[in-house]
Amino acid sequence: MNFRRCLMMMVEPIERPRFDLAGVLGGGTGVDFERSLQVRAAHLREPRVIDAASCMWLLQCSAVQWQPLPSDPQARADVLTLLELGLLVSDDPAHAQALAIEQQVRDSHWWPLSALHYQQSCWDEVDSVQDMEQHQLVTARDLVRSYGSPPPEAPPRIHGARALPCYEDDPMQPQLQARATCRNFDTGRALPLPLLARVLQQVLMAQAEVETDPGVRFLKKNVPSAGSLHPLEAYLLVRNVEGMAPGLYHYHAVAHELGRLSAQPQDLESLCQRLLAGQHWFADAHVLLVLVCRFERNFWKYRNHAKAYRAVTLDAGHVSQALYASATALGLGAFVTAAINEAEAGRAFGLQPMAEGALAICGLGWRSGTKTTAELDPAGHVWPRSDPRGGDADAAGP
Ligand SMILES: Cc1cc2nc3c(=O)[nH]c(=O)nc-3n(C[C@H](O)[C@H](O)[C@H](O)COP(=O)(O)O)c2cc1C
């Protein structure tokens, strides 16, 4: 068996406070710090805790050259432990899965810090609502109780700044103002397919195609994209659309068609809840769109590039804003969230780890006539004003 170190990893020294009874009895503060070394790797979901000797071993080990198992029993035991943790990879079939994902990271042209960031910020089985409730961090009032007041809503004004005209008759303004993140969907009314088709046409469909060289094609869409590469794909969870069987679909931006995936979940409702990390106010949307990045498409140009990951997340922001605008213009509600379980999306849509990955989930559908979950609409453009002072007591909810 030959082994080498995984290519992209970081060592994070951790210091956790713990109660120290002996310290109190000895006249101290009673607080002691437990120290450990945590290693995060771009191909591993969970950090690994190792001791200082193993860490030194790891740091000295080549990530490029393969080497045979050492003959010294202690060194051999260290190597086997690091192999079990996945921090070393080997050509042994027993470690084939870790090797394949690690190779994927090497081949995808990730900038190492971005690869670590993406992998380590992916969630699996997180229930963000339960977490917020447990820590009593749901409303703005809860946040102030725990964190004090936030920094001011705007920076100080500059002395002598030039006042600008404000137009009452701006034709774009009513539609822009009618946009509010929708957290209340009408589950009793199906969404007509033509409305969904129209949103997809406006936001995601390729409007034109350019072939610069044989096999080198760029799409023109209504949203901008870094390097014109448009690496984002939309996987749809269709919940309640007229004439469409509920389930998982892929939207093809060139063909403008929805392909039903061969693997379908047993329980779509619970998959929605899990994908949305427990945000039940979004799970009721008629359609969810999981924005999945084909990282390799962007990294073809921006390879090992410090800005590439930032650029693809900006691409996702543009798609979500266009989707809000399109849905609002059609009288629908929309939302975007980054609080998602990416690992669940990877399993549901059969994504290749680190070559493809979810960045955000958007959704749309008919708005409900009843507001059960808070929305931010202090000026009453969407909902009747409930507070004469112009604010909603619950406005800064989820
Ligand atoms: C990147 C991003 C992530 C968001 N994530 C969440 C979320 O996890 N849950 C949620 O309820 N709203 C989420 N929102 C919606 C914001 O809470 C919302 O935009 C904000 O409250 C302002 O309200 P408005 O969109 O109605 O103007 C997100 C918005 C953005 C742009």
Side-chain angles (χ1 to χ4, degrees):
M1 181 206 294
N2 293 308
F3 71 93
R4 68 182 179 187
R5 179 169 58 75
C6 64
L7 185 64
M8 298 180 198
M9 48 156 264
M10 62 170 275
V11 180
E12 193 184 2
I14 303 289
E15 289 185 70
R16 286 213 175 84
R18 66 177 172 197
F19 179 63
D20 172 25
L21 181 60
V24 177
L25 298 175
T29 60
V31 182
D32 184 20
F33 287 89
E34 185 182 16
R35 294 192 172 84
S36 61
L37 293 173
Q38 210 170 244
V39 182
R40 295 181 183 270
H43 70 295
L44 297 175
R45 209 145 259 158
E46 299 293 335
R48 310 288 200 236
V49 176
I50 59 175
D51 60 29
S54 302
C55 190
M56 280 315 291
W57 229 107
L58 195 61
L59 293 173
Q60 284 165 14
C61 187
S62 172
V64 182
Q65 286 176 310
W66 293 97
Q67 53 182 302
L69 279 182
S71 48
D72 171 68
Q74 183 55 51
R76 197 181 181 90
D78 286 344
V79 168
L80 291 174
T81 304
L82 290 168
L83 276 169
E84 281 315 308
L85 292 173
L87 297 170
L88 297 177
V89 289
S90 89
D91 55 7
D92 188 292
H95 304 126
Q97 201 182 351
L99 180 70
I101 301 177
E102 208 271 330
Q103 190 60 44
Q104 188 70 60
V105 174
R106 287 174 189 254
D107 294 343
S108 302
H109 307 295
W110 277 93
W111 188 59
L113 290 183
S114 295
L116 282 161
H117 175 204
Y118 181 69
Q119 178 68 273
Q120 299 296 318
S121 63
C122 282
W123 285 356
D124 196 7
E125 295 182 12
V126 170
D127 187 324
S128 63
V129 178
Q130 210 175 57
D131 291 351
M132 282 193 308
E133 286 170 356
Q134 244 169 25
H135 294 100
Q136 297 186 331
L137 291 171
V138 179
T139 63
R141 205 160 292 155
D142 291 342
L143 291 168
V144 171
R145 199 185 324 106
S146 293
Y147 303 146
S149 293
E153 70 289 359
R157 294 170 69 179
I158 294 176
H159 178 70
R162 180 173 182 147
L164 298 173
C166 194
Y167 300 98
E168 296 297 330
D169 56 350
D170 181 351
M172 278 187 75
Q173 192 68 337
Q175 196 174 308
L176 292 170
Q177 286 175 329
R179 184 209 61 82
T181 294
C182 181
R183 299 192 184 93
N184 299 277
F185 289 95
D186 182 352
T187 51
R189 187 180 172 199
L191 183 71
L193 180 57
L195 284 188
L196 174 60
R198 204 179 271 263
V199 171
L200 293 172
Q201 177 180 337
Q202 291 176 358
V203 180
L204 292 168
M205 191 181 91
Q207 307 289 327
E209 211 174 317
V210 184
E211 187 162 29
T212 55
D213 287 286
V216 183
R217 282 187 284 276
F218 295 91
L219 303 177
K220 173 70 184 174
K221 296 191 183 181
N222 290 344
V223 288
S225 173
S228 311
L229 291 159
H230 288 290
L232 297 185
E233 294 298 313
Y235 285 85
L236 272 63
L237 281 88
V238 171
R239 304 284 317 269
N240 192 4
V241 176
E242 276 171 16
M244 282 195 77
L248 306 185
Y249 293 80
H250 172 256
Y251 174 69
H252 197 287
V254 179
H256 186 49
E257 64 188 19
L258 287 170
R260 192 172 165 84
L261 302 189
S262 52
Q264 292 290 326
Q266 301 244 313
D267 182 348
L268 194 63
E269 159 78 32
S270 94
L271 175 64
C272 286
Q273 294 274 359
R274 294 198 306 278
L275 284 171
L276 291 161
Q279 297 186 86
H280 48 84
W281 50 86
F282 288 152
D284 282 344
H286 298 66
V287 180
L288 305 184
L289 294 94
V290 182
L291 302 184
V292 168
C293 186
R294 291 189 297 135
F295 296 112
E296 286 170 311
R297 170 81 180 166
N298 178 285
F299 299 171
W300 166 75
K301 176 173 180 184
Y302 300 110
R303 53 184 61 199
N304 307 102
H305 200 298
K307 303 290 184 189
Y309 179 63
R310 193 189 302 185
V312 299
T313 60
L314 288 169
D315 275 18
H318 292 122
V319 168
S320 72
Q321 171 60 22
L323 188 114
Y324 268 99
S326 171
T328 306
L330 293 167
L332 303 171
F335 72 83
V336 62
T337 174
I340 64 172
N341 279 309
E342 293 87 350
E344 187 78 54
R347 288 189 291 271
F349 304 118
L351 307 179
Q352 235 184 319
M354 295 307 280
E356 306 168 292
L359 293 180
I361 297 182
C362 299
L364 61 99
W366 294 119
R367 285 186 153 280
S368 169
T370 319
K371 184 165 59 170
T372 311
T373 305
E375 293 187 18
L376 187 62
D377 181 37
H381 290 296
V382 181
W383 298 93
R385 277 164 88 145
S386 55
D387 180 345
R389 290 164 306 170
D392 237 347
D394 61 0

Short mmCIF file of all heavy atoms in Angstrom, two decimals, residues 179-181 183 279 281-282 324 336-339 376 398, ligand 1:
data_model
loop_
_atom_site.label_atom_id
_atom_site.label_comp_id
_atom_site.label_asym_id
_atom_site.label_seq_id
_atom_site.Cartn_x
_atom_site.Cartn_y
_atom_site.Cartn_z
N ARG A 179 -41.79 43.80 -4.20
CA ARG A 179 -41.00 42.61 -3.87
C ARG A 179 -40.77 42.51 -2.35
O ARG A 179 -40.33 43.47 -1.74
CB ARG A 179 -39.62 42.66 -4.56
CG ARG A 179 -38.77 41.43 -4.33
CD ARG A 179 -37.28 41.73 -4.36
NE ARG A 179 -36.90 42.68 -3.32
CZ ARG A 179 -36.67 42.35 -2.05
NH1 ARG A 179 -36.77 41.11 -1.65
NH2 ARG A 179 -36.34 43.28 -1.16
N ALA A 180 -41.15 41.41 -1.79
CA ALA A 180 -40.81 41.12 -0.39
C ALA A 180 -40.61 39.62 -0.29
O ALA A 180 -41.35 38.86 -0.92
CB ALA A 180 -41.93 41.57 0.55
N THR A 181 -39.61 39.23 0.45
CA THR A 181 -39.36 37.80 0.61
C THR A 181 -40.62 37.12 1.15
O THR A 181 -41.13 37.51 2.20
CB THR A 181 -38.17 37.59 1.57
OG1 THR A 181 -37.01 38.11 0.93
CG2 THR A 181 -37.97 36.11 1.88
N ARG A 183 -42.82 34.38 2.82
CA ARG A 183 -42.74 33.27 3.78
C ARG A 183 -44.12 32.69 4.07
O ARG A 183 -44.32 32.00 5.06
CB ARG A 183 -42.07 33.73 5.08
CG ARG A 183 -40.64 34.22 4.89
CD ARG A 183 -39.91 34.39 6.21
NE ARG A 183 -38.59 34.94 5.97
CZ ARG A 183 -38.29 36.23 5.99
NH1 ARG A 183 -39.23 37.11 6.25
NH2 ARG A 183 -37.05 36.66 5.77
N GLN A 279 -36.74 25.18 7.56
CA GLN A 279 -37.49 26.44 7.37
C GLN A 279 -38.85 26.13 6.72
O GLN A 279 -39.03 26.29 5.51
CB GLN A 279 -36.69 27.41 6.51
CG GLN A 279 -35.38 27.81 7.18
CD GLN A 279 -34.67 28.88 6.37
OE1 GLN A 279 -34.91 30.07 6.52
NE2 GLN A 279 -33.81 28.44 5.49
N TRP A 281 -41.53 27.66 6.60
CA TRP A 281 -42.23 28.76 5.92
C TRP A 281 -41.87 28.81 4.42
O TRP A 281 -42.60 29.38 3.64
CB TRP A 281 -41.94 30.11 6.58
CG TRP A 281 -40.47 30.38 6.82
CD1 TRP A 281 -39.59 30.92 5.96
CD2 TRP A 281 -39.73 30.14 8.03
NE1 TRP A 281 -38.34 31.02 6.53
CE2 TRP A 281 -38.40 30.56 7.80
CE3 TRP A 281 -40.07 29.59 9.28
CZ2 TRP A 281 -37.40 30.45 8.77
CZ3 TRP A 281 -39.08 29.51 10.24
CH2 TRP A 281 -37.76 29.93 9.98
N PHE A 282 -40.75 28.21 4.05
CA PHE A 282 -40.37 28.16 2.63
C PHE A 282 -40.79 26.83 1.97
O PHE A 282 -40.97 26.75 0.76
CB PHE A 282 -38.86 28.30 2.46
CG PHE A 282 -38.32 29.70 2.73
CD1 PHE A 282 -37.02 29.87 3.19
CD2 PHE A 282 -39.09 30.82 2.48
CE1 PHE A 282 -36.51 31.15 3.41
CE2 PHE A 282 -38.58 32.10 2.71
CZ PHE A 282 -37.29 32.26 3.17
N TYR A 324 -36.85 36.91 -8.11
CA TYR A 324 -37.77 37.75 -7.31
C TYR A 324 -38.52 38.70 -8.25
O TYR A 324 -39.74 38.86 -8.16
CB TYR A 324 -36.97 38.62 -6.34
CG TYR A 324 -36.70 38.09 -4.94
CD1 TYR A 324 -35.48 37.51 -4.62
CD2 TYR A 324 -37.64 38.24 -3.92
CE1 TYR A 324 -35.18 37.10 -3.33
CE2 TYR A 324 -37.36 37.82 -2.63
CZ TYR A 324 -36.13 37.24 -2.33
OH TYR A 324 -35.85 36.83 -1.05
N VAL A 336 -35.24 33.56 -1.39
CA VAL A 336 -33.94 32.91 -1.54
C VAL A 336 -33.42 32.62 -0.14
O VAL A 336 -33.68 33.38 0.79
CB VAL A 336 -32.93 33.78 -2.33
CG1 VAL A 336 -32.63 35.09 -1.61
CG2 VAL A 336 -31.63 33.02 -2.58
N THR A 337 -32.71 31.52 0.01
CA THR A 337 -32.07 31.22 1.28
C THR A 337 -30.74 30.50 1.05
O THR A 337 -30.62 29.70 0.11
CB THR A 337 -32.96 30.36 2.21
OG1 THR A 337 -32.20 29.99 3.37
CG2 THR A 337 -33.48 29.10 1.55
N ALA A 338 -29.78 30.82 1.91
CA ALA A 338 -28.50 30.10 1.90
C ALA A 338 -28.43 29.13 3.07
O ALA A 338 -27.46 28.39 3.19
CB ALA A 338 -27.35 31.09 1.96
N ALA A 339 -29.46 29.15 3.93
CA ALA A 339 -29.48 28.24 5.08
C ALA A 339 -30.04 26.90 4.62
O ALA A 339 -31.22 26.58 4.83
CB ALA A 339 -30.33 28.84 6.20
N LEU A 376 -40.91 41.26 5.82
CA LEU A 376 -40.47 42.64 6.02
C LEU A 376 -41.18 43.54 5.01
O LEU A 376 -40.78 43.61 3.85
CB LEU A 376 -38.95 42.72 5.84
CG LEU A 376 -38.32 44.07 6.17
CD1 LEU A 376 -38.53 44.45 7.63
CD2 LEU A 376 -36.82 44.06 5.86
N PRO A 398 -37.58 35.59 10.82
CA PRO A 398 -36.56 34.67 10.33
C PRO A 398 -35.58 35.31 9.37
O PRO A 398 -35.98 36.09 8.55
CB PRO A 398 -37.36 33.59 9.62
CG PRO A 398 -38.74 33.69 10.14
CD PRO A 398 -38.93 35.09 10.55
C1 LIG B 1 -28.35 35.50 0.61
C2 LIG B 1 -29.67 35.55 1.32
C3 LIG B 1 -29.97 34.58 2.24
C4 LIG B 1 -31.19 34.59 2.90
N1 LIG B 1 -31.48 33.60 3.77
C5 LIG B 1 -32.69 33.57 4.39
C6 LIG B 1 -33.04 32.53 5.28
O1 LIG B 1 -32.26 31.63 5.53
N2 LIG B 1 -34.26 32.52 5.83
C7 LIG B 1 -35.17 33.51 5.58
O2 LIG B 1 -36.29 33.43 6.11
N3 LIG B 1 -34.87 34.53 4.76
C8 LIG B 1 -33.66 34.58 4.14
N4 LIG B 1 -33.34 35.60 3.29
C9 LIG B 1 -34.31 36.67 3.06
C10 LIG B 1 -33.94 37.88 3.91
O3 LIG B 1 -34.26 37.60 5.24
C11 LIG B 1 -34.71 39.09 3.39
O4 LIG B 1 -34.19 39.44 2.12
C12 LIG B 1 -34.59 40.26 4.33
O5 LIG B 1 -35.29 40.03 5.53
C13 LIG B 1 -35.14 41.53 3.70
O6 LIG B 1 -36.49 41.35 3.38
P1 LIG B 1 -37.02 41.54 1.91
O7 LIG B 1 -36.32 40.55 1.02
O8 LIG B 1 -38.49 41.27 1.98
O9 LIG B 1 -36.70 42.95 1.51
C14 LIG B 1 -32.13 35.63 2.64
C15 LIG B 1 -31.80 36.62 1.71
C16 LIG B 1 -30.59 36.59 1.06
C17 LIG B 1 -30.28 37.66 0.03
#
